[in-house]
Amino acid sequence: MAKANGKLQLEILGDGPLENKLKGLAISLDINSQTHFLGRVPKENLSNYYQKAGAIIIPSQVPETFALTGVDALRYDCLPIASHVGGIAQWLEENKTGVLFESGNVQQLSLILRSYEKNKYDSTIKYITNNKKDILNKLSIESHGVKLMDTFNQSIKDSDIFNNSHHEYSPFATSKFIDL
């Protein structure tokens, strides 16, 4: 999503069964001149779109475990605007590292977009830019692996699964069982 001449421009990447319905919706809402359906984009070209976008909308309706698209947006100082479903709220801190809306709530998303158009999220984008390294470190696979192993070790201690012998396991010792 980018701003052009004071109006938001919506670029929809990807394809799927809802494409024709969305094109019809863009026409009926009279936003088809601001809406661009770009189809499937090769992974190696995605960075071009992130670099020019001001915000990324993640309109998930089914629970996602993580939504890597939002983290990719943070890498490029884009504002993630995401549905509050699944694990997204575990990494997206409201008005700090992005904005959440109720899945399927078009009115709420519309209000967020109007606020974005009026630069009301500039402080959030500034926070993302100024704290990007810390944010991305917190969301890295390495950080996730450490948390996972801490949980795993605590579970072993709590369950006495190994006959009262409390072993500590490292990601390396268990990597054949857990794909980190």
Side-chain angles (χ1 to χ4, degrees), residues 105-154:
N105 189 331
V106 177
Q107 290 79 18
Q108 187 180 17
L109 177 58
S110 179
L111 286 172
I112 290 169
L113 294 176
R114 280 191 224 122
S115 294
Y116 172 79
E117 193 170 27
K118 295 176 184 174
N119 301 317
K120 291 190 177 177
Y121 293 109
D122 284 357
S123 62
T124 303
I125 296 168
K126 185 176 181 179
Y127 178 87
I128 292 168
T129 301
N130 292 340
N131 297 285
K132 182 174 17 180
K133 184 177 179 183
D134 291 336
I135 294 167
L136 294 176
N137 280 337
K138 181 179 172 185
L139 299 173
S140 71
I141 188 71
E142 293 82 9
S143 177
H144 180 69
V146 168
K147 289 177 192 173
L148 183 64
M149 290 313 301
D150 288 347
T151 301
F152 178 71
N153 282 321
Q154 190 61 49

Side-chain angles (χ1 to χ4, degrees), residues 30-158:
D30 198 26
I31 59 168
N32 56 318
S33 64
Q34 296 167 240
T35 307
H36 312 281
F37 292 86
L38 304 176
R40 189 173 298 267
V41 175
K43 188 175 183 176
E44 59 272 9
N45 295 346
L46 287 176
S47 63
N48 298 329
Y49 293 95
Y50 283 115
Q51 287 172 355
K52 70 178 186 174
I56 302 291
I57 301 172
I58 307 164
S60 302
Q61 293 187 329
V62 295
E64 299 213 22
T65 55
F66 193 75
L68 189 57
T69 302
V71 177
D72 288 340
L74 292 169
R75 286 185 212 294
Y76 293 95
D77 301 331
C78 294
L79 177 69
I81 301 172
S83 298
H84 193 299
V85 295
I88 294 173
Q90 298 298 314
W91 62 263
L92 192 153
E93 296 178 63
E94 183 70 24
N95 294 319
K96 198 170 185 182
T97 58
V99 183
L100 292 168
F101 65 96
E102 181 185 335
S103 180
N105 189 331
V106 177
Q107 290 79 18
Q108 187 180 17
L109 177 58
S110 179
L111 286 172
I112 290 169
L113 294 176
R114 280 191 224 122
S115 294
Y116 172 79
E117 193 170 27
K118 295 176 184 174
N119 301 317
K120 291 190 177 177
Y121 293 109
D122 284 357
S123 62
T124 303
I125 296 168
K126 185 176 181 179
Y127 178 87
I128 292 168
T129 301
N130 292 340
N131 297 285
K132 182 174 17 180
K133 184 177 179 183
D134 291 336
I135 294 167
L136 294 176
N137 280 337
K138 181 179 172 185
L139 299 173
S140 71
I141 188 71
E142 293 82 9
S143 177
H144 180 69
V146 168
K147 289 177 192 173
L148 183 64
M149 290 313 301
D150 288 347
T151 301
F152 178 71
N153 282 321
Q154 190 61 49
S155 296
I156 289 172
K157 287 179 184 178
D158 291 347

